[in-house]
Amino acid sequence: MKIFKVILGFLLIYNIGKEYINASKQLLSFFELGSILAVLLLLPLSAWLIGSGISKEKFKLFSWQFLKYLGGTFIIFLVVAFISLISFKYEPEIVRVNGIDVDIAEFMIGTRRIIPDKVQRREYCVCIVTKLTADKKLVNENKADFENGKFSKLIMSLQSSPDLVKYNLQECMNSVSNLHWTPEFEKGMRTNLIKKLSDLKTSSKNDVDKYCDCLIDEYKKVSIQELTNSDFQISEKGMRIDSICNSKSKLE
């Protein structure tokens, strides 16, 4: 019976560690309340199972002995979680575009909060990788990342690159009908605007943060489909918004 308790305790720790990482990757956060509560509830149970199975004396729940086992259990949990994290891989979702098999599973998960509808999200992701893989040089340099689904860093680096314009990635938003402003979307938009304003050396004449805040506030009044149109920035509306925010953010 005691051996069974010890085995059950270690199996529980192993499953807690794996499931915590799996849930965190799916939810895109290691600080989801539900996941943390599950760990806090189940780790003491694991410590009690292992401690009562190993201890030759009466094992008390509220004792220094229990705290020692709880500490050891927590360390094992961290080890299991770390191994699970470095070996974690989403269930592959392969699409073939421009003669290359691309795993879009991680990209699909990463854009879930921005585009809730799965069908539209898939269309968007396929559109993005289709445009990127049309660049043979880019594919040759990043083929393994595309095939393994690890091209998120590539997209992030392109966001701050002058080469981004030639891919016309914003056109992929045209297929998304229910896209809304989310914290993630706003964060990405703000990062791009700050980078653009910095490249234009706007800070010498304007308060960049105030400029960016103004642009975000004005852009929220425009539909995202219109905002992501490739011609929006040079349209009458886009130029009027920029002029207003430029004026409002002038340094005195």
Side-chain angles (χ1 to χ4, degrees), residues 95-98 100 102 104 107 123-139 146 151 154-155 158 163-175 228 230:
V95 295
R96 187 164 184 81
V97 290
N98 296 316
I100 179 174
V102 181
I104 63 170
F107 193 28
E123 290 179 2
Y124 171 77
C125 292
V126 171
C127 177
I128 292 290
V129 296
T130 299
K131 287 180 176 293
L132 293 178
T133 55
D135 184 339
K136 298 304 179 185
K137 181 181 178 182
L138 191 70
V139 170
F146 280 118
F151 53 89
L154 169 62
I155 294 178
L158 285 175
D163 293 334
L164 179 65
V165 179
K166 72 179 182 181
Y167 296 110
N168 293 319
L169 299 184
Q170 68 276 6
E171 290 181 357
C172 295
M173 287 291 186
N174 295 335
S175 63
T228 54
S230 58

Side-chain angles (χ1 to χ4, degrees), residues 1-238:
M1 182 63 181
K2 286 198 170 188
I3 294 177
F4 176 74
K5 279 186 175 181
V6 174
I7 294 174
L8 184 60
F10 278 109
L11 285 176
L12 189 56
I13 298 173
Y14 175 77
N15 284 306
I16 294 170
K18 289 206 68 173
E19 285 306 311
Y20 173 73
I21 294 300
N22 182 60
S24 298
K25 296 292 280 186
Q26 294 294 335
L27 296 170
L28 305 178
S29 172
F30 290 101
F31 302 102
E32 285 292 329
L33 183 60
S35 299
I36 294 175
L37 285 176
V39 171
L40 293 177
L41 288 172
L42 293 174
L43 279 184
L45 176 59
S46 301
W48 179 82
L49 286 169
I50 295 171
S52 59
I54 293 177
S55 180
K56 295 180 180 180
E57 303 174 357
K58 186 176 181 180
F59 190 72
K60 295 181 180 180
L61 189 59
F62 299 102
S63 64
W64 283 110
Q65 188 180 22
F66 172 74
L67 290 177
K68 289 179 182 178
Y69 278 102
L70 183 60
T73 299
F74 182 67
I75 291 172
I76 297 172
F77 163 76
L78 290 178
V79 172
V80 173
F82 177 74
I83 293 173
S84 299
L85 179 61
I86 61 176
S87 61
F88 181 85
K89 185 172 176 62
Y90 292 103
E91 190 69 29
E93 185 169 347
I94 309 297
V95 295
R96 187 164 184 81
V97 290
N98 296 316
I100 179 174
D101 290 327
V102 181
D103 184 358
I104 63 170
E106 185 172 324
F107 193 28
M108 284 280 288
I109 293 293
T111 53
R112 184 171 57 193
R113 290 179 177 173
I114 300 175
I115 309 174
D117 183 84
K118 186 176 181 180
V119 174
Q120 292 187 341
R121 186 165 74 250
R122 193 176 194 281
E123 290 179 2
Y124 171 77
C125 292
V126 171
C127 177
I128 292 290
V129 296
T130 299
K131 287 180 176 293
L132 293 178
T133 55
D135 184 339
K136 298 304 179 185
K137 181 181 178 182
L138 191 70
V139 170
N140 290 335
E141 293 174 348
N142 303 276
K143 187 176 181 180
D145 291 334
F146 280 118
E147 292 177 335
N148 296 327
K150 300 295 182 182
F151 53 89
S152 296
K153 289 184 179 179
L154 169 62
I155 294 178
M156 291 296 292
S157 66
L158 285 175
Q159 293 292 333
S160 58
S161 169
D163 293 334
L164 179 65
V165 179
K166 72 179 182 181
Y167 296 110
N168 293 319
L169 299 184
Q170 68 276 6
E171 290 181 357
C172 295
M173 287 291 186
N174 295 335
S175 63
V176 183
S177 61
N178 64 340
L179 187 62
H180 302 289
W181 280 88
T182 63
E184 292 77 17
F185 185 82
E186 181 173 336
K187 182 180 179 181
M189 178 68 74
R190 188 177 295 277
T191 299
N192 291 336
L193 288 173
I194 290 291
K195 176 66 170 57
K196 179 182 176 181
L197 294 172
S198 297
D199 290 344
L200 293 173
K201 302 189 184 305
T202 309
S203 58
S204 61
K205 297 180 180 179
N206 301 76
D207 183 322
V208 174
D209 289 330
K210 188 180 292 186
Y211 201 151
C212 185
D213 289 341
C214 175
L215 288 173
I216 293 291
D217 289 341
E218 292 298 323
Y219 286 166
K220 286 182 177 180
K221 301 173 185 177
V222 182
S223 71
I224 293 183
Q225 280 68 33
E226 182 180 3
L227 180 62
T228 54
N229 188 291
S230 58
D231 296 326
F232 177 76
Q233 297 298 329
I234 58 175
S235 68
E236 182 181 348
K237 184 182 291 185

